């Protein structure tokens, strides 16, 4: 009997009973503290559970999941390193076969971070942000290459997620809004172990709208979001990385452009649908300010 | 193998990822395991995309695949280890993997407790909780998604919520008269 009552009460709370039954139950509930407590419990358990799992919706999508959808064959191949006969996938074999599978989970952002690290350095600081051919040592390239692919996909995937929310709901998901830029800089600076200044993109017609704290390869990373008058989105990611410095590079994933580089323990990426050369110029005028001091 | 997958379906799957991850998180508790589930489900779905009927709900189909893989894994694990439920006391959420908004600390504490409590529920109950309470599916939709009778949905759900209430150390459910604010307060 208790069980039946519980199920009825729960169905009432969930809006699963007809109007007549609902009225009868309401009368019964109003006159019985025990039933009221049960009803409260059913309501609360639902709302708490909903609240407890909301945050995950706003987490960055791991690159491996995007890869599983866009490039399932490669994922399968990476998980089970192919035998000698390469009859499955044209995946470049890594120098250390275990590298891919063991790092699979964290490969995404880490790789990204690593990769992102493109850079400037190589280029020679005097000339500013110049596009360089990557000249990373072969070992790094071999072990990082597939992951960096995913890092770029991940960046583009994030960008699309944010842009969809923006276009559909006319809002951006940020932890700190534009009005708290100073606070944002301080907060990120503390987490990234460095000073950081949110780059000014107003000369390009983009205004900083805020930022979020994300995790790339298990390390803290900052994500800054900029909008133009026409609600065009630009995303800047600053992540920590152990990978060597690399010069800037422009990559494209679908209709999303990504300019990325690595410098002095940090990886950077500008992401947007804006024209690649324009994105490149943004990086060119801001990279100096982004350098850790 | 997946060469024939419609790009529109791929795009829809990508758009579903946040919700699939949330559902899997509710089942597995641990972020990495949850993402493993989602990844396995995406791979399985794409290799069996012909089994999905265009025009029907892709999200429900995916939830079911995730649930099936999850239960299969749990069964295999039980066979291997001889234990019942697992991971009940393992850390639920690895803080470093969460996006930290640095806010709502109090709510977070409660939410952490809820997520922890979820891992202590029987596996079958978690899916029902996630579909009804989090995804907002009706009992009928949940029954269809999981291919179980609607009565089973209701009994699992009520047991899960009662258990959750107890695990959260809520008020003594029976006989408490100090708790409630219900709209129809009049007789």
């Amino acid at each position: 009997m208790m069980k039946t009552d519980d199920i009825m009460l729960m169905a009432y709370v969930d809006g699963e009973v007809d109007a007549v039954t609902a009225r009868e139950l309401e009368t019964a509930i109003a006159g019985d503290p025990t039933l009221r407590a049960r009803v409260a419990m059913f309501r609360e358990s639902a709302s708490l559970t909903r609240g407890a799992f909301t945050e995950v919706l706003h987490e960055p999508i791991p690159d491996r999941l995007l890869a599983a959808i866009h490039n399932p064959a490669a994922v399968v191949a990476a998980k089970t390193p192919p035998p000698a006969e390469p009859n499955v996938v044209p995946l470049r074999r890594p120098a250390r076969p275990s590298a891919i599978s063991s790092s699979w989970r964290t490969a995404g952002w880490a790789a990204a971070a690593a990769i992102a690290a493109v850079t400037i350095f190589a280029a020679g600081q005097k000339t500013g942000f110049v596009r360089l051919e990557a000249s990373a040592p072969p070992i790094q390239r071999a072990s990082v290459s597939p992951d960096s692919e995913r890092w770029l996909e991940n960046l583009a995937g994030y960008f699309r997620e944010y842009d969809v929310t923006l276009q559909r709901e006319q809002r951006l998901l940020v932890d700190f809004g534009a009005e708290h830029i100073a606070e944002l800089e301080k907060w990120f600076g503390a987490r990234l172990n460095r000073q950081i200044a949110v780059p000014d993109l107003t000369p390009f017609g983009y205004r900083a709208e805020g930022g979020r704290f994300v995790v790339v390869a298990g390390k803290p990373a900052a994500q800054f979001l900029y909008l133009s008058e026409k609600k065009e989105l630009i995303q800047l990611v600053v992540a920590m990385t152990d990978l060597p410095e690399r010069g800037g590079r422009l990559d494209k994933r679908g209709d999303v452009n990504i300019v990325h580089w690595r410098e002095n323990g940090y990886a950077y990426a500008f992401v947007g649908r804006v024209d690649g050369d324009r994105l490149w110029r943004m990086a060119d005028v801001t990279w100096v300010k982004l350098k850790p001091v | 193998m997946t060469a024939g997958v419609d790009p529109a379906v791929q795009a829809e799957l990508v758009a579903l990822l946040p919700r699939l991850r949330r559902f899997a998180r509710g089942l597995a508790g641990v972020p990495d395991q949850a993402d493993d589930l989602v990844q396995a489900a995406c791979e399985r779905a794409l290799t069996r995309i012909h089994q999905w009927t265009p025009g029907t709900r892709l999200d429900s189909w995916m939830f079911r695949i995730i649930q099936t893989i999850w239960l299969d894994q749990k069964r295999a694990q039980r066979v291997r280890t001889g234990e019942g439920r697992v991971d009940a006391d393992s850390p639920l959420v690895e803080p470093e993997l969460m996006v930290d908004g640095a806010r709502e600390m109090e709510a977070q504490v409660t939410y952490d407790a809820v997520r922890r409590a979820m891992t202590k529920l029987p596996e079958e109950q978690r899916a029902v909780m996630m579909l009804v309470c989090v995804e907002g599916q009706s009992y009928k939709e949940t029954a269809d998604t999981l291919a179980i009778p609607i009565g089973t949905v209701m009994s699992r759900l009520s047991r899960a919520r009662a258990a959750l209430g107890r695990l959260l150390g809520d008020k003594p459910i029976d006989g408490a008269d100090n708790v409630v604010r219900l709209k129809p307060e009049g007789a």
Side-chain angles (χ1 to χ4, degrees):
Chain A
M1 167 203 160
M2 188 60 193
K3 267 199 168 120
T4 306
D5 286 348
D6 254 5
I7 286 176
M8 287 291 279
L9 289 171
M10 179 186 72
Y12 161 74
V13 167
D14 292 342
E16 295 263 356
V17 298
D18 60 48
V20 175
T21 309
R23 272 197 299 278
E24 288 170 5
L25 283 168
E26 277 164 13
T27 305
I29 291 162
D32 185 337
T34 304
L35 295 186
R36 289 209 300 270
R38 290 309 273 179
V39 165
M41 180 277 291
F42 282 122
R43 277 193 211 289
E44 199 171 57
S45 58
S47 68
L48 281 176
T49 307
R50 194 160 42 245
F53 291 95
T54 295
E55 204 171 55
V56 63
L57 291 178
H58 305 304
E59 290 176 15
I61 303 291
D63 53 349
R64 64 188 175 109
L65 300 185
L66 296 168
I69 293 172
H70 289 302
N71 195 12
V75 170
V76 172
K79 285 167 80 180
T80 48
E85 269 80 277
N87 60 344
V88 194
V89 197
L91 233 201
R92 199 180 317 164
R93 192 165 313 206
R96 291 170 295 136
S98 62
I100 292 184
S101 54
S102 65
S103 64
W104 186 248
R105 285 191 176 138
T106 50
W109 272 98
I115 298 179
V118 179
T119 313
I120 306 186
F121 288 113
Q125 281 100 338
K126 282 194 240 149
T127 53
F129 194 89
V130 262
R131 190 180 313 210
L132 294 180
E133 283 309 311
S135 56
I139 289 180
Q140 249 114 25
R141 296 193 60 155
S143 60
V144 168
S145 172
D147 295 339
S148 43
E149 245 336 279
R150 265 153 228 134
W151 144 251
L152 294 177
E153 274 190 29
N154 215 14
L155 284 173
Y158 279 146
F159 177 86
R160 290 192 191 98
E161 282 295 320
Y162 277 81
D163 203 37
V164 162
T165 310
L166 172 68
Q167 306 307 334
R168 190 187 295 157
E169 302 174 23
Q170 294 297 302
R171 68 188 178 96
L172 268 181
L173 301 168
V174 295
D175 290 328
F176 286 89
E179 66 279 17
H180 298 119
I181 291 291
E183 198 181 338
L184 185 68
E185 290 170 339
K186 209 168 127 194
W187 198 67
F188 278 138
R191 279 156 184 78
L192 295 174
N193 299 323
R194 54 168 288 183
Q195 287 181 7
I196 191 165
V198 179
D200 178 16
L201 295 182
T202 51
F204 295 91
Y206 286 84
R207 211 169 75 87
E209 293 291 336
R212 300 203 84 194
F213 176 52
V214 295
V215 173
V216 172
K219 293 183 178 175
Q223 181 184 34
F224 302 109
L225 297 163
Y226 296 81
L227 277 187
S228 71
E229 288 283 330
K230 291 191 282 184
K231 300 283 182 226
E232 293 157 323
L233 179 67
I234 294 283
Q235 173 180 286
L236 166 64
V237 176
V238 181
M240 298 167 86
T241 180
D242 296 328
L243 292 177
E245 296 177 352
R246 256 179 62 180
R249 174 187 288 180
L250 170 64
D251 274 293
K252 197 171 174 67
R253 288 295 173 277
D255 57 351
V256 177
N257 288 312
I258 305 167
V259 173
H260 55 120
W261 71 97
R262 282 196 299 259
E263 179 173 19
N264 209 9
Y266 293 90
Y268 305 86
F270 274 97
V271 188
R273 287 202 173 87
V274 60
D275 172 78
D277 283 339
R278 193 165 168 76
L279 201 61
W280 193 270
R281 282 201 299 281
M282 290 181 200
D284 202 17
V285 302
T286 54
W287 75 269
V288 172
K289 290 183 182 151
L290 284 167
K291 282 175 65 165
V293 288
Chain B
M1 157 171 58
T2 56
V5 177
D6 181 353
V9 173
Q10 285 177 311
E12 195 176 343
L13 264 183
V14 170
L16 280 178
L17 279 175
R19 288 172 57 217
L20 300 182
R21 294 183 72 227
R22 177 171 67 174
F23 178 67
R25 189 78 60 93
L27 302 187
V30 182
D32 264 356
Q33 285 181 16
D35 284 338
D36 286 349
L37 268 180
V38 175
Q39 184 173 335
C42 288
E43 289 163 11
R44 185 177 294 187
L46 290 170
T47 55
R48 301 180 185 180
I49 196 67
H50 57 280
Q51 295 177 0
W52 174 64
T53 311
T56 61
R57 290 180 60 162
L58 187 61
D59 57 353
S60 293
W61 191 58
M62 291 302 298
F63 289 142
R64 184 163 167 192
I65 293 175
I66 289 172
Q67 159 81 344
T68 302
I69 294 174
W70 165 248
L71 290 180
D72 286 349
Q73 285 178 358
K74 290 290 109 180
R75 280 185 204 113
Q77 197 166 10
R78 271 197 287 273
V79 169
R80 278 199 309 275
T81 63
E83 21 176 306
R85 258 175 281 133
V86 292
D87 287 334
D89 298 319
S90 67
L92 252 208
V93 177
E94 297 167 36
E96 59 178 1
L97 292 180
M98 300 292 291
V99 173
D100 174 13
R103 59 192 168 183
E104 298 177 345
M105 279 304 291
E106 281 183 32
Q108 277 312 329
V109 172
T110 307
Y111 289 155
D112 283 348
V114 173
R115 289 188 288 261
R116 202 168 300 118
M118 277 285 277
T119 65
K120 303 195 178 189
L121 297 178
E123 284 93 18
E124 311 77 35
Q125 292 182 12
R126 299 182 207 173
V128 176
M129 281 296 286
M130 292 303 289
L131 291 176
V132 175
C133 296
V134 179
E135 282 296 324
Q137 287 196 357
S138 69
Y139 296 169
K140 172 74 167 62
E141 286 169 332
T142 300
D144 290 345
T145 297
L146 300 176
I148 55 178
I150 195 166
T152 305
V153 169
M154 294 167 75
S155 59
R156 283 181 187 174
L157 191 60
S158 71
R159 284 201 302 273
R161 281 154 86 170
L164 210 57
R166 283 194 300 275
L167 287 168
L168 290 174
D170 238 357
K171 31 267 169 185
I173 296 298
D174 297 308
D177 66 351
N178 59 343
V179 198
V180 200
R181 355 168 178 68
L182 242 198
K183 284 173 270 170
E185 198 63 70

